[in-house]
């Protein structure tokens, strides 16, 4: 597992580094898998699935809590807002990780320009 600065663009990372669904000392954590299935990559898949399922549950709880007819206090609204923020953070990390594993389209000049810039 390795860490890279948060501001490193996805396309400039090695295609073999996978962004993990958890952090290491509040910094992104990466796994070098060489595109093979490992225990840690399967664990990351499981955690990503759990995070996505949890986000769906939280969204289901939040919808009635933000309706005009809901009679909630500031504490309850803060609680659901925190859970929504946590879930959104997790799901965005899953999206970023999966986007980093999708190979560019053949003939994608933008991806080619990015990789050319990395080698200069």
């Amino acid at each position: 597992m390795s860490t890279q600065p948060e501001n490193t663009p996805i396309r400039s990372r090695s295609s073999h580094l996978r962004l993990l669904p958890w952090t290491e000392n509040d910094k992104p954590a990466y796994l070098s898998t060489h595109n093979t299935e490992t225990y840690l990559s399967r664990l990351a898949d499981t955690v990503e699935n759990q995070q996505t399922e949890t986000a769906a549950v939280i969204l289901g709880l939040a919808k009635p809590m933000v309706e005009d007819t809901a009679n909630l206090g500031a504490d309850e609204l803060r609680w659901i807002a925190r859970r929504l923020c946590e879930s959104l953070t997790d799901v965005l990390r899953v999206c970023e990780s999966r986007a980093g594993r999708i190979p560019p389209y053949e003939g994608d000049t933008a991806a080619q320009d990015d990789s050319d810039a990395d080698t200069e």
Side-chain angles (χ1 to χ4, degrees), residues 94-113:
V94 170
C95 291
E96 182 180 352
S97 175
R98 292 181 181 180
R101 289 181 273 148
I102 297 173
Y105 292 113
E106 287 187 33
D108 185 353
T109 58
Q112 183 62 38
D113 291 344

Side-chain angles (χ1 to χ4, degrees), residues 31-45:
L31 174 66
S32 178
T33 64
H34 302 290
N35 292 330
T36 58
E37 185 177 336
T38 65
Y39 171 78
L40 200 50
S41 65
R42 287 191 309 272
L43 176 62
D45 291 341

Side-chain angles (χ1 to χ4, degrees), residues 1-116:
M1 215 172 6
S2 66
T3 59
Q4 286 188 358
E6 273 186 67
N7 57 357
T8 303
I10 291 174
R11 291 195 188 273
S12 70
R13 296 181 191 140
S14 166
S15 62
H16 300 296
L17 288 181
R18 174 184 178 167
L19 176 64
L20 294 172
W22 54 81
T23 60
E24 188 176 298
N25 299 322
D26 292 327
K27 295 181 182 177
Y30 296 88
L31 174 66
S32 178
T33 64
H34 302 290
N35 292 330
T36 58
E37 185 177 336
T38 65
Y39 171 78
L40 200 50
S41 65
R42 287 191 309 272
L43 176 62
D45 291 341
T46 300
V47 171
E48 286 180 351
N49 288 335
Q50 289 171 342
Q51 289 172 327
T52 304
E53 290 172 9
T54 299
V57 169
I58 300 232
L59 180 60
L61 292 171
K63 283 183 178 182
M65 294 177 83
V66 297
E67 292 292 325
D68 290 336
T69 57
N71 187 17
L72 299 174
D75 289 341
E76 291 92 357
L77 290 173
R78 246 187 252 99
W79 181 86
I80 198 62
R82 285 186 190 116
R83 301 302 77 80
L84 287 167
C85 288
E86 291 166 357
S87 293
L88 182 58
T89 300
D90 289 344
V91 170
L92 287 173
R93 179 176 296 280
V94 170
C95 291
E96 182 180 352
S97 175
R98 292 181 181 180
R101 289 181 273 148
I102 297 173
Y105 292 113
E106 287 187 33
D108 185 353
T109 58
Q112 183 62 38
D113 291 344
D114 285 346
S115 64
D116 289 345

